[in-house]
Amino acid sequence: MAEQQFTGKVALVTGGASGIGAACVLTLARGGAKVVVADLNHEQGQHVVAEVRRLGSEAIFVATDVADPPSVERMVAGAVEAFGGLDIAVNNAGIGGEINPVGEYSIEGWHRVIAINLNGVFFCMRYEIPAMLQRGGGAIVNMASILATVGFANSAAYVAAKHGVVGLTKTAALEYAKQGIRINAVGPAFIKTPLIDANLDQATQEFLVGLHPIGRMGEAQEVANLVAFLCSEQASFMTGGYYLVDGGYTAQ
Ligand code: NAI
């Protein structure tokens, strides 16, 4: 992929302080974008900003809770104020949530996952799209999962939210296709990030490795490569799509 393909572009990555989001921030910055790292985690976010600056690119951290519409509105305003507009958004912030069968899933656990993983993506696009229209277009990538294609026992809220993200992506893509905003979703399988390490013991992680025909979990950079491609001009005819990066998981 050509270097510096994002020169002059302003990008925003939610959940940019960790894992897949941090890899997206660094990949976009290496391509020349000015990047807003939007996250709840101030300390980690500042680390990612410092890493971008070490690369010689520009970044700022904006404390953001994607489940809170006024916070999301401030996030987009912060990008516009700092860098003059918004061209690229990666709506990636998400949590794993409670692990329980539907008949035992807590109501508050359900609401929490839906609030961040589904409502959060809507709130982000709600405020990003008007800012992109001001620039005459843009590219949005929403972070779904393989669990937007298949179910996964004991993770109903997560699976429902990710299926919702794909429907939301397709609909928004239809609405803005003629106005120059391309909107796609990506579906990673299990990726070695703090989300996996913090929530799953070693035995569960080994079980998960076995679900991938390729024989391992993915790396955050392998997702960021796809995200960057979808954000780039090389993907100029791609909108309303949902693209897997899954080591063969869903081919079985
Ligand atoms: P992670 O836990 O490493 O990073 C998630 C980031 O989102 C953290 O920095 C966290 O502070 C932030 N965040 C959480 N709630 C937030 C909120 N309300 N507002 C703003 N920021 C918030 O997770 P990872 O693995 O990098 O996941 C990123 C995305 O990728 C999530 O949407 C996840 O569902 C998705 N995904 C992850 C997979 C995996 O196996 N790691 C597989 C498929 C999808």
Side-chain angles (χ1 to χ4, degrees):
M1 199 181 289
E3 286 294 316
Q4 301 307 310
Q5 58 189 328
F6 301 119
T7 300
K9 302 286 187 196
V10 179
L12 181 164
V13 181
T14 70
S18 174
I20 295 170
C24 291
V25 168
L26 293 168
T27 304
L28 292 166
R30 277 195 294 270
K34 296 173 182 165
V35 189
V36 174
V37 178
D39 205 292
L40 280 178
N41 190 328
H42 196 279
E43 200 185 321
Q44 281 266 119
Q46 292 294 4
H47 280 305
V48 175
V49 165
E51 229 175 299
V52 169
R53 290 184 180 152
R54 271 197 296 279
L55 294 171
S57 301
E58 286 184 63
I60 58 163
F61 175 76
V62 178
T64 306
D65 178 358
V66 298
D68 178 42
S71 174
V72 174
E73 188 174 17
R74 283 194 299 274
M75 167 188 85
V76 173
V80 173
E81 196 180 308
F83 297 133
L86 183 65
D87 306 294
I88 291 168
V90 182
N91 298 321
N92 158 82
I95 59 167
E98 191 175 316
I99 296 179
N100 257 326
V102 172
E104 297 166 33
Y105 212 94
S106 78
I107 303 299
E108 60 277 15
W110 171 271
H111 283 308
R112 191 168 126 73
V113 172
I114 298 296
I116 297 171
N117 291 11
L118 178 57
N119 295 351
V121 175
F122 165 67
F123 298 150
C124 286
M125 290 203 290
R126 170 64 184 81
Y127 293 106
E128 289 158 359
I129 286 170
M132 288 181 177
L133 290 173
Q134 294 283 317
R135 303 271 263 198
I140 296 176
V141 175
N142 294 324
M143 192 56 62
S145 162
I146 44 165
L147 304 184
T149 292
V150 292
F152 199 76
N154 301 318
S155 293
Y158 187 92
V159 172
K162 294 300 187 184
H163 275 70
V165 165
V166 172
L168 179 57
T169 299
K170 289 178 181 172
T171 301
L174 294 175
E175 291 166 354
Y176 293 97
K178 288 206 168 53
Q179 291 168 82
I181 305 180
R182 295 183 302 99
I183 308 175
N184 292 289
V186 301
F190 289 90
I191 308 295
K192 255 319 225 169
T193 69
L195 184 139
I196 295 290
D197 285 332
N199 291 303
L200 306 173
D201 60 33
Q202 201 51 40
T204 309
Q205 293 197 31
E206 277 162 24
F207 163 74
L208 291 177
V209 164
L211 299 177
H212 300 74
I214 217 164
R216 61 174 175 85
M217 290 194 217
E219 299 290 334
Q221 186 61 51
E222 294 175 306
V223 182
N225 293 342
L226 172 60
V227 170
F229 174 76
L230 289 170
C231 292
S232 78
E233 271 309 302
Q234 293 179 65
S236 51
F237 198 55
M238 300 171 79
T239 197
Y242 160 57
Y243 300 99
L244 296 163
V245 48
D246 74 351
Y249 186 110
T250 55
Q252 304 174 89

